[in-house]
Structure formats: structure tokens, C-alpha cells
Amino acid sequence: MTSIALFRKDLASELRTRYAINSLLMFIIVTISVILFSIGNEKISDYLSGGLFWVVVFFTAMSGLARAFVSEEERGTSLLLQLIASPATVFSGKLIFNLVLVFSMNVVIANLYTALFDAFVIKNLLLFSTAFLFGSIGIAISSTVIAAIIAKAGSKGTLYPVLSFPILLPLILILIELTKMSMDGTAFEEGYIEVAVLICYDVIMISASYLLFDFIWKD
Amino acid sequence: MIWKILLFLIIAFVSVAGIAFPIVEKPEFWYQFPLIPGLEENAKIIFFHVPTSWLTVIAFLMSTIYSIKYLRRKDLIDDAKAHTAAQLGMIFCILATVTGAVWAKFAWGSFWSWDPRQTSIFALLLIYGALFALRSAVEQEEKRATLASVYSIIAFVTVPFFIFIMPRIMKGLHPGSADDTHSGPVVDFKMNSNMLLIFYLSLIGFTILYYWMWQVGYKSMIYKDKLNKQF
């Protein structure tokens, strides 16, 4: 079984119920409207709106991405997966699924956010899209491996953000920094170090995840 | 036994010297410390705050090493060692956070200001907290040990970002930051030889103390497990 086949299987079962897609979409709308209500008629600063963007992204990711592994444990299909696929294949399949999910989720958030927040104006679009791309990849990698741990720990829902936050914290801090820069219209060359750190994070997390996933997956 | 006496002597000397030795502008005697511009009397915290934050990282490193050992050999003794190291790391992490915050009140005017170093120590505190939350969530011993080992290794690979990269790309107030013109890098240039000596003695003393506590801790944990299995 290849990882693409596993991804297709996840996609098919997702499209059948549309559980994750619907709940993620509703979660995005709820979070953004809570922020809009709490702001009211106040004028918020540009930097604050940039930071709140990643808050929405983080909590939306935390609400939906654990599904990838938790659903296998809930349906009792994880043993079957262990039989027919190697751990690396399973991880790649789940990672592709979560990558697609995170990426489409972030695109929706970014569009809604730009439409609803006047303060959220990106001057350097290239820098922001680079940060957006590598940030989404990083969030997908870290949350996939933590989701695997959570699924084996008995699917404790509250534990997921608790475990993910310290791992995602360096990523979120750099992303907030890069968003500030792209709002100021900083040249791409000046934000080069931050982008490099972002790519480093992605590479380090993906290699650590692949190395360690065997131990999580095999009982 | 000889280690314990040595440890007592070092810690006693460091405590007395670190607190009581005066800071003067031009040190003439061996017991006087030089004045570091920008730090002044606040500089004395270096004898107590730096060893605690150093041990926070060392404990985390040891916890990770024993986690790797556990994953290789599946021996629960390694897990007990990793767990004890993490417990001690949490204690030293809290100590470093609190002493740092109290120092920041006098040096910077507020207890907490999200300086990169403060952010890093806060993240370490969160990692330790998450590790204990994960441990308490799993009942079965082997599974708990495996999951905790995996998590502590994954968390450890993010630590370089906090300790080495963040303080250098973000603006900070902490002595030794990238844009600190007054007092950083403290250790290299501004401390004279007696201050350095006491600083390193303090580091050595605290490290021995940690090692001793760690041995007592993991041995008691192993005995507790053995007793639980007997009855």
C-alpha cells in the first residue's frame, strides 16, 4: 500500500461524512466572529491583527487535525493499517492528508481575514506567502506527529493543544515576526534569516517525526 | 561521602561569597567584585540564576538521552532515569523563572516583559508541564514510557530554536542578547578572575547537587516500582 493510496482512502472517507471539513469551517467562522465581537467598534493596531491571524490558525488546527489518527483508533482500523503498510507509509499518507487540510484551511482563514479586518494589510505579499507556505507545512508536520501520540494515549482531546503548543511555539513566534515584517513592507532580503529558520524548523521536525513514528505506531 | 563534603563546602562558599562580597568600582582585594556597567549590584544574581537555568537545560538533555536509550533497549530503568531528570528539570526551571522574574523587577522595572530568554524559559516550563500531563494520561507502563520518550525527543529538537536562535533574531533586554551594548557578553569580558572563579564554582556545585538528587530520585523510583510489584 502506498502513501498516496492511504491519502485517497482518507479523502474518500472524509468526503463521505465531511465531518472534519464542516467542523473546521464552522470553527473558523466561530473564532473569527468571536474576535470581531470582542473588538466591536474599537480600532485595533495592525500588529495585533497580524498576531490574531495566527491565533485563529493555531486553534483551528488544534480542533481538527487530531482526527487523522484518532479516527483510526476509534474505528479500530489501526491494527489493519499496521498489517498492510509500513509505519513510514502510514505517516506519509496521514501527513499528505493533513497538509492538504491545513493548507486549504489556512487559505480560507486568510481570505476571510483579509475581507473582515481592515487593519490586516500585507504590503510585501511575497514574504507573507513564503511564511504562509512554510508555516502551514510546519503546522501540518508537528500536529500530525502529536496526533499520533494523542491517538495512542487514549484520544484525550484536551491533551492535544497542551502537547502541541510548546512544539509549535517557535514556529508561531517566527510567523508572527514575519507577518509584522510583511505588514511593514520589509524587503524579502531582510527577512531572509527568519525564512531560513522557518525552513530549518520544517526540516528538523519532519526528520524527527519520521525517525520516531515507528516507536509510536508499533505497540 | 567525600563528594558530599566537597559539595557542602562549595555550596556554602558560593552562597557566602556570592551574597556577601562587595561590588566596588576598582577591585583591590581578592574578595571584591568589579562593577559591570548596566548591571551594578544586580550582577550578583549570576551566581544563582545562571546555574539553575543551566541545570534546566542539562536535565532536559539527560532526560532526552535516557529517552533515546529507552527506545533502543526498552528497559524501564532508563525511563525512570529520564523521568527523574525531567522532574528535577521542572524544579530548576521554576527556580530559574522565579529568580529571573524577581531580578527583572529590579533591573528592567517589571516582573515579566516577554524578552526572548523569558519566552524560552516559559516554553521549557510548558514542555515539562506537557510531558507530565502526557505521563499522567497513560495507564500502561510500557506505553507511557514510549510515548513520553518520543515526546521528550520531539520537544528537545525545538530547544535549539529557543536557546540559540530566538534570542539572536529577536530584540532582547537580557544580558548577553544580540543588541546588548552595556553588559553583554558578560561572561567573556566584564567579569574579573575572582568573579569568574566563584561563578564556575557555583556551576560545578549546582551540577554535583543535581547529579546527587538525580541518583537518589531514580533509585527511589525503581525501588518503589519493585515494591509495588511484590504486593
Side-chain angles (χ1 to χ4, degrees), chain A residues 152 156 163 166 170 173 201, chain B residues 126-127 137 143 151 161-162 166:
Chain A
K152 290 288 171 191
K156 306 269 192 315
L163 291 189
L173 287 176
Y201 178 90
Chain B
L126 282 180
I127 290 174
K143 204 184 218 181
Y151 185 73
F161 285 98
F162 288 117
M166 282 315 224

Side-chain angles (χ1 to χ4, degrees), chain A residues 90-107:
Chain A
V90 176
F91 188 73
S92 318
K94 297 291 180 187
L95 182 59
I96 297 170
F97 183 71
N98 271 357
L99 271 174
V100 172
L101 207 59
V102 168
F103 209 72
S104 40
M105 168 192 108
N106 284 0
V107 168

Side-chain angles (χ1 to χ4, degrees), chain B residues 32 56 69 85 112-113 163 197 213 218 228:
Chain B
Q32 286 172 330
T56 309
K69 267 194 180 167
W112 204 262
S113 45
I163 294 174
L197 178 75
M213 285 166 83
Y218 86 75
N228 278 340

Side-chain angles (χ1 to χ4, degrees), chain B residues 87-144:
Chain B
Q87 280 175 332
L88 287 173
M90 179 93 176
I91 295 171
F92 283 113
C93 193
I94 292 170
L95 281 176
T97 316
V98 172
T99 52
V102 172
W103 181 82
K105 178 71 182 170
F106 293 99
W108 306 336
S110 67
F111 284 114
W112 204 262
S113 45
W114 293 113
D115 171 82
R117 304 264 177 176
Q118 284 183 325
T119 315
S120 318
I121 201 89
F122 176 67
L124 273 177
L125 210 54
L126 282 180
I127 290 174
Y128 280 127
L131 201 57
F132 295 127
L134 178 63
R135 272 185 182 278
S136 58
V138 189
E139 293 276 319
Q140 200 201 333
E141 256 182 355
E142 278 84 17
K143 204 184 218 181
R144 177 173 61 207

Side-chain angles (χ1 to χ4, degrees), chain B residues 127-202:
Chain B
I127 290 174
Y128 280 127
L131 201 57
F132 295 127
L134 178 63
R135 272 185 182 278
S136 58
V138 189
E139 293 276 319
Q140 200 201 333
E141 256 182 355
E142 278 84 17
K143 204 184 218 181
R144 177 173 61 207
T146 311
L147 291 182
S149 304
V150 169
Y151 185 73
S152 67
I153 296 167
I154 291 179
F156 188 77
V157 298
T158 66
V159 165
F161 285 98
F162 288 117
I163 294 174
F164 301 113
I165 297 174
M166 282 315 224
R168 275 158 190 76
I169 64 172
M170 285 164 79
K171 283 197 176 72
L173 305 156
H174 195 284
S177 307
D179 53 344
D180 186 358
T181 48
H182 278 298
S183 48
V186 190
V187 184
D188 298 342
F189 304 113
K190 304 284 170 51
M191 281 165 51
N192 71 353
S193 52
N194 61 355
M195 208 170 174
L196 269 180
L197 178 75
I198 292 172
F199 172 64
Y200 284 125
L201 267 183
S202 168

Side-chain angles (χ1 to χ4, degrees), chain A residues 144-180:
Chain A
T144 309
V145 70
I146 301 293
I149 295 180
I150 291 298
K152 290 288 171 191
S155 326
K156 306 269 192 315
T158 42
L159 209 54
Y160 191 45
V162 172
L163 291 189
S164 304
F165 184 66
I167 311 289
L168 284 173
L169 192 58
L171 184 73
I172 291 174
L173 287 176
I174 298 164
L175 285 174
I176 290 175
E177 200 69 19
L178 274 169
T179 313
K180 272 184 198 170

Side-chain angles (χ1 to χ4, degrees), chain A residues 3 111 131:
Chain A
S3 44
N111 284 324

